[in-house]
């Protein structure tokens, strides 16, 4: 079974600084997708970034970038120029094909990391 | 112009009751999901429908029954509610099963 581990239950950072959230996963699949979602106090789940395992290039979305290390099964999220609005719980998630390889869909989430940005 | 909507947002009910949560998406997606987030914020998939066909059915009590009347709607009916069913339930949708999933605002269910 696939598992996703976020080893940092809580992190904090000063506004305008950079922070990195860690995520490791375990799978025997070679084709899969990785995601970071954020959940602010409003509880809405918001997509931050998506990475396809077959792509060697790390995904970036404005101030958010990932360090995808496929061999190490590591997928960390770097937030640059942190803003107060980045305060949220961040979830790493993994999606692999089903047993028959006919479809995807099942997101497996990590335990989450609470990020607090201080002014 | 809400993309994925759920009703109700809050639901408080007594043990033993039956309740439903509705989900609708206007993104033109063909795949929809139900997730449960427990009190420790852990998220776990329950069901998924692709083109109205059930494709993911995790180990969930059979008191939970999803229904997809069309590709834009996925409802969740829960019979004989128990205290342990208290959680936040999220609906999500995607284009294809490998597409990015977009979540609704969640429904906080409290069983007394």
């Amino acid at each position: 079974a696939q598992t996703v581990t976020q080893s940092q239950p809580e992190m904090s950072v000063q506004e305008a600084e950079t922070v990195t959230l860690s995520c490791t996963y375990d799978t025997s699949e070679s084709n899969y997708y990785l995601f970071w979602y954020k959940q602010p106090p409003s509880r809405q789940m918001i997509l931050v970034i998506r990475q396809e395992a077959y792509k060697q290039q790390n995904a970036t979305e404005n101030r958010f970038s990932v360090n995808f290390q496929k061999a190490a099964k590591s997928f960390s999220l770097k937030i640059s120029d942190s803003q107060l609005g980045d305060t949220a719980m961040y979830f790493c998630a993994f999606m692999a094909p089903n047993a028959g390889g006919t479809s995807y869909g099942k997101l497996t989430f990590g335990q989450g990391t609470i990020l607090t940005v201080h002014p | 112009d809400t993309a994925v909507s759920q009703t109700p947002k809050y639901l408080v009910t007594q043990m033993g009751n039956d309740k439903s949560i509705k989900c609708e998406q206007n993104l033109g997606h063909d795949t929809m999901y139900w997730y449960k987030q427990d009190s420790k914020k852990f998220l776990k998939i329950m069901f998924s429908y692709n083109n109205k066909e059930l494709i993911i059915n995790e180990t969930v009590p059979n008191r939970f029954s999803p229904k997809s009347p069309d590709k834009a709607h996925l409802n969740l009916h829960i019979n004989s509610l128990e205290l342990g069913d208290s959680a936040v339930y999220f609906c999500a949708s995607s284009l294809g099963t490998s597409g990015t999933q977009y979540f609704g605002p969640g429904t906080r269910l409290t069983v007394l």
Side-chain angles (χ1 to χ4, degrees):
Chain A
Q2 285 90 4
T3 58
V4 179
T5 302
Q6 293 178 248
S7 57
Q8 305 150 315
E10 292 188 49
M11 297 275 287
S12 64
V13 65
Q14 293 295 125
E15 207 175 358
E17 293 188 346
T18 296
V19 64
T20 299
L21 307 184
S22 301
C23 173
T24 57
Y25 56 93
D26 187 25
T27 185
S28 56
E29 300 287 343
S30 56
N31 293 321
Y32 50 87
Y33 301 88
L34 293 159
F35 304 84
W36 280 96
Y37 282 88
K38 71 183 261 192
Q39 187 177 37
S42 66
R43 91 166 175 239
Q44 176 74 53
M45 291 289 290
I46 301 165
L47 175 73
V48 175
I49 206 161
R50 168 187 166 117
Q51 174 81 46
E52 288 84 0
Y54 62 84
K55 288 187 179 176
Q56 291 189 343
Q57 187 169 8
N58 289 323
T60 63
E61 284 290 339
N62 301 315
R63 297 182 295 107
F64 299 88
S65 60
V66 296
N67 184 1
F68 173 46
Q69 301 286 330
K70 192 171 184 179
K73 295 179 184 172
S74 167
F75 183 61
S76 60
L77 175 71
K78 185 170 93 171
I79 307 173
S80 304
D81 186 25
S82 296
Q83 300 176 0
L84 296 178
D86 295 334
T87 293
M89 191 152 190
Y90 286 79
F91 291 96
C92 178
F94 169 92
M95 184 165 69
N98 63 2
T102 55
S103 71
Y104 287 76
K106 177 181 173 181
L107 275 175
T108 300
F109 285 89
Q111 309 93 315
T113 296
I114 299 172
L115 175 67
T116 304
V117 180
H118 297 285
Chain B
D1 60 345
T2 305
V4 183
S5 59
Q6 295 179 227
T7 51
K9 288 200 170 56
Y10 297 92
L11 188 51
V12 181
T13 188
Q14 299 287 331
M15 256 189 343
N17 284 350
D18 303 339
K19 289 293 177 188
S20 290
I21 306 171
K22 296 188 175 184
C23 178
E24 176 181 3
Q25 54 92 7
N26 63 4
L27 296 166
H29 289 169
D30 56 3
T31 310
M32 297 184 74
Y33 311 81
W34 279 111
Y35 287 85
K36 179 181 179 181
Q37 185 174 42
D38 64 22
S39 58
K40 295 191 170 134
K41 304 283 191 181
F42 186 66
L43 276 148
K44 193 168 191 300
I45 193 165
M46 300 172 70
F47 304 103
S48 176
Y49 274 76
N50 173 253
N51 286 313
K52 301 198 311 176
E53 180 186 343
L54 182 66
I55 58 168
I56 295 175
N57 187 358
E58 290 290 290
T59 308
V60 173
N62 57 16
R63 300 181 293 102
F64 289 79
S65 52
K67 273 202 172 63
S68 181
D70 55 56
K71 287 195 291 187
H73 295 86
L74 179 62
N75 303 323
L76 183 66
H77 188 75
I78 316 169
N79 288 328
S80 303
L81 277 155
E82 300 177 357
L83 293 176
D85 298 333
S86 294
V88 179
Y89 292 85
F90 284 98
C91 175
S93 73
S94 67
L95 187 62
T97 62
S98 62
T100 296
Q101 294 181 25
Y102 294 91
F103 285 75
T107 296
R108 180 177 292 281
L109 171 65
T110 303
V111 182
L112 303 174

